[in-house]
Amino acid sequence: FPYDRENNNGSGFKTIQRSINGDSFSKLIKLGNNSEKNLFMIYQALVNILLLKYTNNLDIITGCPIDKQKFEGELLNKVLGLRVNLDKKISFKELLLEVRKVFSDATLNQNYPFYQLIMELEISKSSKGSDLFDVIVLNKNIHSEEYIKDCNANTIFIFNNLQDKIEISLKYNENFYNEKTIDNILNQLIIILEQVLNDINITIDNIEIYSDEELNRILHTFNQTTNDFVKNETIVSLFEKQVRNSPNQVAIIHDEYH
């Protein structure tokens, strides 16, 4: 997500939370067929759409932890990079199928050394974020936050199924983001969710990230350009009047000429 600023004056990461409950919770569980893996695919698709709306970038890469392991020991890779190529004309249902395919391919190749991938892609290391991705999505019911502790992502979406609601936590680096920005991101994620729950076949380009109230304010309140003016005045006469009112003010600047 675009940064609000870039500094090192903040104290680190903060978290904002939202909850999905009631009818929306029931619809979401049904859409995921009561499977935590399917729910993760939905979460991933939602975040991909939100990133597209913010950046207009169709090539989205996010990170996620591998599934929680039952055994103790060193793991070659603890995170996966998920690269999804979006098409604004496809439906949310079609996007879910694409996310599922990308995740399946990434899982099959999860033992490929991550550092080797970074080298082959010739990605330079940055102090601002991860080498490959700046956003991580995880489902707390099947993923461990411990696996991403060494990642340098600046926004982390954490979904948690608590049986009567889905809790969404968004951890963010306050060196780069204002709380208001993160608050808006979470609100917009829920707005996207409500639309796809009502119509899984909605196309990505028809998904809005603003509420009806916000759209009305943007389209009508902020776009209110109606103004009174004298109908019998011309541009020349208005210019001459302004000259008389402020004869010593600079009217036009071009390079060094005034």
Side-chain angles (χ1 to χ4, degrees), residues 143-176:
H143 297 141
S144 171
E145 287 186 66
E146 186 70 16
Y147 289 2
I148 63 169
K149 66 179 183 179
D150 295 325
C151 293
N152 199 25
N154 289 308
T155 47
I156 304 171
F157 291 84
I158 303 170
F159 296 82
N160 191 13
N161 184 355
L162 300 176
Q163 304 309 314
D164 62 343
K165 65 180 179 180
I166 301 290
E167 185 180 83
I168 309 173
S169 301
L170 181 48
K171 296 178 69 173
Y172 67 98
N173 188 339
E174 66 170 340
N175 289 319
F176 299 100

Side-chain angles (χ1 to χ4, degrees), residues 76-107:
L76 184 60
N77 291 324
K78 294 182 180 180
V79 294
L80 301 174
L82 303 181
R83 183 177 187 177
V84 178
N85 289 301
L86 297 172
D87 181 343
K88 295 180 181 180
K89 297 301 180 182
I90 67 172
S91 67
F92 183 74
K93 183 177 182 179
E94 291 171 312
L95 175 59
L96 281 178
L97 294 175
E98 176 64 19
V99 169
R100 184 187 300 275
K101 180 181 181 301
V102 168
F103 180 77
S104 177
D105 291 344
T107 302

Side-chain angles (χ1 to χ4, degrees), residues 227-235 237-238:
N227 204 352
D228 294 329
F229 64 95
V230 181
K231 293 183 178 181
N232 60 350
E233 290 276 17
T234 66
I235 295 296
S237 63
L238 289 172

Side-chain angles (χ1 to χ4, degrees), residues 169-228:
S169 301
L170 181 48
K171 296 178 69 173
Y172 67 98
N173 188 339
E174 66 170 340
N175 289 319
F176 299 100
Y177 295 105
N178 297 322
E179 182 175 334
K180 179 62 176 175
T181 297
I182 299 302
D183 192 61
N184 286 336
I185 288 173
L186 265 185
N187 289 338
Q188 290 164 339
L189 184 76
I190 294 174
I191 289 172
I192 293 174
L193 173 63
E194 295 293 343
Q195 291 171 82
V196 301
L197 289 178
N198 289 329
D199 181 10
I200 193 175
N201 292 308
I202 187 173
T203 56
I204 294 176
D205 60 350
N206 283 326
I207 293 176
E208 294 288 349
I209 62 172
Y210 299 106
S211 65
D212 291 340
E213 180 182 347
E214 289 172 318
L215 279 175
N216 182 69
R217 187 161 61 247
I218 292 169
L219 296 176
H220 301 292
T221 305
F222 294 160
N223 200 35
Q224 178 57 261
T225 57
T226 303
N227 204 352
D228 294 329

